[in-house]
Amino acid sequence: MSASAAPPPARRPAHGGAIAVPDHPHRNDRRWWIALLVVVLGSFAVLLYMGAKINQDKPPVPQTVQVRGDGQVMTHDDIVQGQRIWQSLGGQEIGSVWGHGAYVAPDWTADWLHREAVFILDAWAKEDGGTTYADLPAEQQALFKGRLMEVLRTNTYDADSGTVTIDPIREQAWRANSAYYAKLFADGHDHYAIQKGLLTDPVQAQQMADFFWWTSWSASTNRPGDDVTYTQNWPHEPLIDNVPPADNILWSIISFILLLGGIAGMVFYHSYLRDDTPENLDEIPHDDPLLGYESTPSQKATLKYFFIVGFLFMLQIAMGIIGAHYGVEGGALYGIPIDEILPYSVVRTWHTQLGIFWIATAWLATGLYVAPAVGGKEPKFQRLGVNVLFGALLVVVLGSMFGEWLSMTGRMGFGRDRNYWVGTQGMEYVDLGRLFQIGLTIGLFLWFALMWRGVSPALKRAKASPDGHATPTATAPLAVGSQRTLTLMLLASCFSIAGFYLAAFGIGKSTHLSIAEYWRWWVVHLWVEGFFEVFATAVIAFLFARLGLINARLAASSTLASTVIFLTGGILGTFHHLYFTGSPSGVLAIGASFSALEVIPLALMGFEAFRNLRLLKVRDWVAGYKWAIYFFVSVAFWNMLGAGIFGFLINPPISLFYVQGLNLTPLHGHTALFGVYGMLGIGLMLFCVRSLMPGREWNDLPIKIGFWTMNGGLFLMAMLSLLPVGLAQAWASIDKGLWWARSDEFLYGDTLTILRWLRVPGDTIFAIGAAAIGVFMVGLLTGWSLRKDSGGVVEQGSPVAHDEAGV
């Protein structure tokens, strides 16, 4: 769960870089390309092989569940339809299953398991003349606990007939739990942010309960011939000895050893190759190299993307604030019952999805801006393509949001085909309906086509050059890179971003949950946390190299080397999301090892932050890019803290066994996703807008306010609320079980309530910062964000010229 790349790659040796390389990149580029090919092909071969193993070893969905000596309880179709109903009403946005999903309501797997176990134990206690299991003496409790383990952990699945046979007492527990959940989803529950009347059809309520039963059965039933459950004994439930198995502990220890050894190796490698000789200031331009460069029509047309970024960003923050209040006020915002219009499931879906949308939009716009400046000419109809893509983006974003609202509020019904196609798929981060997924995929490939048309001329010029170097020209000011490396890396990352989103299509409307999780994490981890990093690293290398702030020759090799290193851990690190999703133990071993390797490059991010700051001192004109560089510095900080420290806090199997589905996960998610990708998106946006108007002074007070308040607010949100709540939940999970850490009795205690309310200061400060950035962007249109003595609002090449900008 860690992000790994992104600040500028290695500059000339005096500054060092994220990954240092010797001063002979021509010789090393070929070696790094070979290494990259080996890493990517080898890693994906393992990823696909283990995917086949997951498919083979996944917990079976029985054709029928019957009571021993009696009739049928449920069928395969009931369980599958129950999953579809659960997904269509929000799925992973209302509580969680197998630990994946939202954190306000319970984890339904752990909750069902505990309720079933307590029901059976209390029933036996009453048969024995007692009142409840908790009131029995220790000796009798131990006797009943052993009997319970025999009933729940024994695998009675018959592969030939596809039948699971249960004891009569389990049928009674099934009926009791089904009635409880039917009432819960019909009457609503303020503490769980479930609105009243969410699911009132008794047949559908029963089918969803059947799905919950199956997820609990998978988590409590041993695999055939093993003493470990299908979910590797997750969740922690002391009543049936669901505790970490031996391989969980062993591979956790190995992951710690790999982390420490890897950091030591990286520090040695970095220190050995770094050259601290003084910078040759004569190599750095005395004036902004982009001064006088006139933007092309398609570049000017990208400006509107950045304004949409600001709008989506503000909307995401608003959803985050409302969602945080649901966690402490149930269905209200400062007492206003807004859940009747915007239920928590909708708010959280929009919050997570908008985060992906606005960050991706910032990066896509950056690519569209960079492409003509690298290629050296404006391809025919490029501006039209940029505008068409913009329109398609709006349709996908707004259409998917409306469809999700219709589905989750019941206006489409539940569990129907239309929920899946134009409503929601109910899977976190890939919630949008399949029709909008198709539209997004088409848009991504259109973006790649636009990138190819804009960038590919640089490859031809480099090929025609004696040294293979794409030399900057008046029309191609960003055409830098030795041996075409940066250009190829940029195009490869663009193709990967478009291509790997296709993994989302592995999830169908009735896909087995284990397989759905497998493909979902291909998108979330590989798409969001993998190839966007390659893209960002290459783009920043282009920008910094052309400004003369980093050595273009070394930047190409450094970008390639950095990519090899973080993809070595990043691709197979995907498995750390799949420890407890019905996967075999091999997934745990590979995930633990390679997720530790993901963290290793992040150990040096602190060095990178300080070296980025040194860029501001080399020439006066660099101050114009000050705030873009500051945001890149913050990326390095949050990469180290959010992705590195907070990521590894939850990544080892022994840690994730107890904390999966608790607030330590959003602690990592907020500080890594926004701290790294969000800050990077804003930095890229400011860099592009700055370079569209070189030599002009900004009224940068709003950016200053935005930078410090966003970073400060995110830090306060993490340290005052998410971290202490997550640690308290971890203690509760270790002590009593996951069910207790997610229960409203625990979360609504006095101390935890105060800690959750302490998100408000950080959220508020963060929102002020976001608003300040929004004010600045609007000010670029009105001229307020430009100093009056810098030439006015309209200037040749200025994106503020409405008649030229294509807005």
Side-chain angles (χ1 to χ4, degrees):
M1 298 181 183
S2 59
S4 57
R11 52 192 63 88
R12 49 175 63 82
H15 289 301
I19 304 297
V21 293
D23 196 13
H24 40 77
H26 289 289
R27 193 186 321 158
N28 282 300
D29 278 4
R30 182 181 297 274
R31 299 174 186 173
W32 282 117
W33 277 113
I34 294 173
L36 179 62
L37 189 65
V38 170
V39 166
V40 171
L41 292 180
S43 297
F44 277 106
V46 174
L47 198 63
L48 290 169
Y49 172 77
M50 293 309 298
K53 288 289 293 180
I54 292 172
N55 188 50
Q56 176 184 325
D57 296 344
K58 65 184 183 293
V61 180
Q63 291 300 314
T64 183
V65 177
Q66 64 183 24
V67 182
R68 183 173 284 108
D70 204 341
Q72 179 177 277
V73 175
M74 69 186 80
T75 67
H76 175 276
D77 291 344
D78 290 330
I79 296 171
V80 171
Q81 183 62 18
Q83 178 180 339
R84 293 185 62 183
I85 293 168
W86 166 73
Q87 289 176 261
S88 65
L89 57 80
Q92 290 180 334
E93 310 298 351
I94 302 179
S96 58
V97 165
W98 285 354
H100 293 292
Y103 310 102
V104 174
D107 180 88
W108 306 115
T109 304
D111 192 62
W112 182 290
L113 175 56
H114 184 74
R115 290 180 181 279
E116 181 177 12
V118 170
F119 179 93
I120 293 172
L121 290 171
D122 284 347
W124 287 340
K126 291 175 182 177
E127 289 177 1
D128 206 46
T131 52
T132 65
Y133 169 79
D135 294 331
L136 295 176
E139 295 82 359
Q140 202 166 2
Q141 284 187 348
L143 180 65
F144 283 163
K145 179 181 174 181
R147 184 179 169 189
L148 177 69
M149 289 176 59
E150 182 70 20
V151 169
L152 292 188
R153 295 188 71 103
T154 299
N155 194 329
T156 61
Y157 176 71
D158 183 343
D160 293 332
S161 64
T163 300
V164 168
T165 304
I166 62 175
D167 288 348
I169 189 65
R170 293 199 70 178
E171 182 197 15
Q172 297 174 32
W174 167 75
R175 294 188 184 280
N177 276 4
S178 297
Y180 167 77
Y181 287 117
K183 187 175 189 305
L184 177 69
F185 281 87
D187 295 348
H189 194 298
D190 280 345
H191 287 178
Y192 295 159
I194 297 175
Q195 68 270 30
K196 185 176 181 179
L198 176 59
L199 186 62
T200 57
D201 186 304
V203 174
Q204 291 185 329
Q206 182 60 68
Q207 288 172 327
M208 190 173 71
D210 293 342
F211 170 67
F212 291 165
W213 176 90
W214 174 80
T215 68
S216 173
W217 174 82
S218 305
S220 59
T221 300
N222 289 341
R223 288 182 179 273
D226 203 346
D227 59 356
V228 176
T229 71
Y230 287 103
T231 58
Q232 302 295 322
N233 283 359
W234 185 94
H236 180 220
E237 178 51 76
L239 290 177
I240 61 168
D241 277 359
N242 253 13
V243 295
D247 58 349
N248 183 305
I249 299 171
L250 173 64
W251 286 106
S252 296
I253 294 173
I254 291 174
S255 72
F256 283 111
I257 295 172
L258 287 172
L259 175 65
L260 295 175
I263 290 176
M266 284 289 291
V267 170
F268 172 78
Y269 180 68
H270 180 271
S271 300
Y272 175 74
L273 290 175
R274 198 177 117 210
D275 181 0
D276 285 324
T277 55
E279 178 78 56
N280 184 0
L281 295 180
D282 291 337
E283 297 180 12
I284 299 178
H286 289 276
D287 296 306
D288 188 341
L290 297 180
L291 192 63
Y293 171 65
E294 183 174 355
S295 303
T296 69
S298 70
Q299 287 179 312
K300 296 172 185 177
T302 63
L303 184 66
K304 56 180 167 285
Y305 282 77
F306 294 117
F307 288 106
I308 288 298
V309 166
F311 171 74
L312 297 179
F313 179 34
M314 292 299 297
L315 188 58
Q316 187 213 8
I317 292 172
M319 294 301 105
I321 292 173
I322 295 172
H325 278 280
Y326 276 123
V328 290
E329 295 187 78
L333 177 67
Y334 294 112
I336 303 172
I338 62 171
D339 65 331
E340 298 174 4
I341 300 174
L342 282 179
Y344 176 78
S345 57
V346 173
V347 169
R348 189 176 189 274
T349 298
W350 288 355
H351 178 66
T352 56
Q353 186 170 290
L354 284 168
I356 299 297
F357 277 150
W358 80 257
I359 293 172
T361 301
W363 293 17
L364 298 184
T366 300
L368 293 173
Y369 166 76
V370 166
V374 172
K377 67 177 183 179
E378 176 86 344
K380 193 174 182 180
F381 302 122
Q382 184 80 353
R383 175 178 171 176
L384 175 63
V386 170
N387 289 332
V388 169
L389 180 60
F390 179 78
L393 176 69
L394 290 181
V395 170
V396 168
V397 172
L398 300 179
S400 65
M401 291 175 65
F402 183 61
E404 288 154 356
W405 180 79
L406 290 174
S407 180
M408 295 180 192
T409 56
R411 286 168 171 80
M412 289 184 178
F414 294 120
R416 302 178 181 179
D417 286 350
R418 59 173 172 258
N419 296 102
Y420 170 77
W421 281 100
V422 295
T424 179
Q425 296 188 53
M427 305 297 288
E428 192 178 24
Y429 292 109
V430 286
D431 301 86
L432 65 169
R434 176 51 55 87
L435 185 63
F436 296 106
Q437 277 189 338
I438 295 172
L440 179 58
T441 303
I442 294 172
L444 289 172
F445 277 101
L446 172 59
W447 174 69
F448 171 70
L450 294 172
M451 291 296 297
W452 173 264
R453 296 176 77 241
V455 170
S456 58
L459 294 176
K460 298 176 182 178
R461 291 202 318 276
K463 185 177 181 179
S465 173
D467 60 356
H469 190 91
T471 306
T473 66
T475 58
L478 298 183
V480 295
S482 176
Q483 300 288 342
R484 300 177 295 167
T485 296
L486 278 178
T487 306
L488 289 172
M489 288 291 293
L490 179 63
L491 289 174
S493 65
C494 292
F495 179 77
S496 298
I497 288 170
F500 278 91
Y501 188 74
L502 291 173
F505 292 89
I507 306 173
K509 57 187 176 183
S510 302
T511 301
H512 189 286
L513 189 59
S514 295
I515 304 304
E517 285 294 334
Y518 173 76
W519 289 116
R520 184 172 76 91
W521 287 111
W522 268 59
V523 176
V524 179
H525 187 90
L526 293 175
W527 191 67
V528 177
E529 298 187 30
F531 294 104
F532 262 126
E533 296 179 8
V534 182
F535 169 78
T537 305
V539 167
I540 294 176
F542 272 115
L543 295 173
F544 274 70
R546 184 59 193 103
L547 291 177
L549 301 177
I550 62 176
N551 185 292
R553 191 163 48 87
L554 293 178
S557 294
S558 180
T559 298
L560 187 55
S562 300
T563 300
V564 171
I565 290 174
F566 67 71
L567 286 185
T568 298
I571 295 175
L572 292 180
T574 305
F575 284 134
H576 69 238
H577 300 284
L578 304 175
Y579 292 155
F580 314 122
T581 58
S583 304
S585 58
V587 167
L588 187 145
I590 297 173
S593 302
F594 283 88
S595 64
L597 298 180
E598 281 187 277
V599 181
I600 291 171
L602 306 181
L604 302 180
M605 285 299 175
F607 295 107
E608 187 65 23
F610 288 110
R611 290 181 185 127
N612 285 339
L613 287 174
R614 293 174 60 181
L615 294 174
L616 295 172
K617 301 178 181 179
V618 298
R619 287 286 186 266
D620 291 340
W621 62 265
V622 181
Y625 299 88
K626 169 184 175 180
W627 291 108
I629 292 173
Y630 271 24
F631 275 100
F632 295 150
V633 170
S634 70
V635 168
F637 171 78
W638 290 112
N639 238 329
M640 181 175 58
L641 179 64
I645 296 175
F646 292 155
F648 197 72
L649 176 64
I650 62 175
N651 278 356
I654 189 62
S655 175
L656 202 57
F657 181 87
Y658 291 107
V659 305
Q660 178 159 292
L662 304 183
N663 272 276
L664 290 180
T665 301
L667 169 70
H668 162 67
H670 282 78
T671 53
L673 181 60
F674 185 84
V676 177
Y677 298 106
M679 296 296 182
L680 183 58
I682 295 173
L684 290 173
M685 175 180 71
L686 293 177
F687 210 116
C688 290
V689 174
R690 172 74 272 174
S691 60
L692 280 166
M693 49 182 72
R696 306 178 66 193
E697 294 186 43
W698 283 351
N699 178 11
D700 60 2
L701 179 61
I703 307 180
K704 180 178 182 179
I705 295 173
F707 175 82
W708 291 111
T709 53
M710 280 197 296
N711 280 281
L714 183 60
F715 188 81
L716 290 176
M717 180 198 311
M719 295 302 180
L720 293 182
S721 183
L722 291 175
L723 180 60
V725 170
L727 291 175
Q729 284 187 297
W731 178 266
S733 177
I734 296 169
D735 184 39
K736 293 186 178 181
L738 180 68
W739 69 273
W740 173 245
R742 291 283 295 270
S743 67
D744 62 337
E745 294 91 345
F746 175 76
L747 286 173
Y748 279 83
D750 292 341
T751 301
L752 268 295
T753 298
I754 292 173
L755 288 175
R756 285 182 294 113
W757 269 106
L758 284 176
R759 272 200 62 170
V760 173
D763 285 351
T764 303
I765 294 172
F766 185 89
I768 291 172
I773 296 295
V775 166
F776 173 80
M777 292 301 294
V778 172
L780 289 179
L781 285 177
T782 63
W784 181 86
S785 294
L786 296 172
R787 295 189 184 276
K788 293 182 179 180
D789 56 357
S790 67
V793 177
V794 179
E795 181 179 293
Q796 186 180 16
S798 170
V800 190
H802 292 242
D803 57 336
E804 298 179 3
V807 178

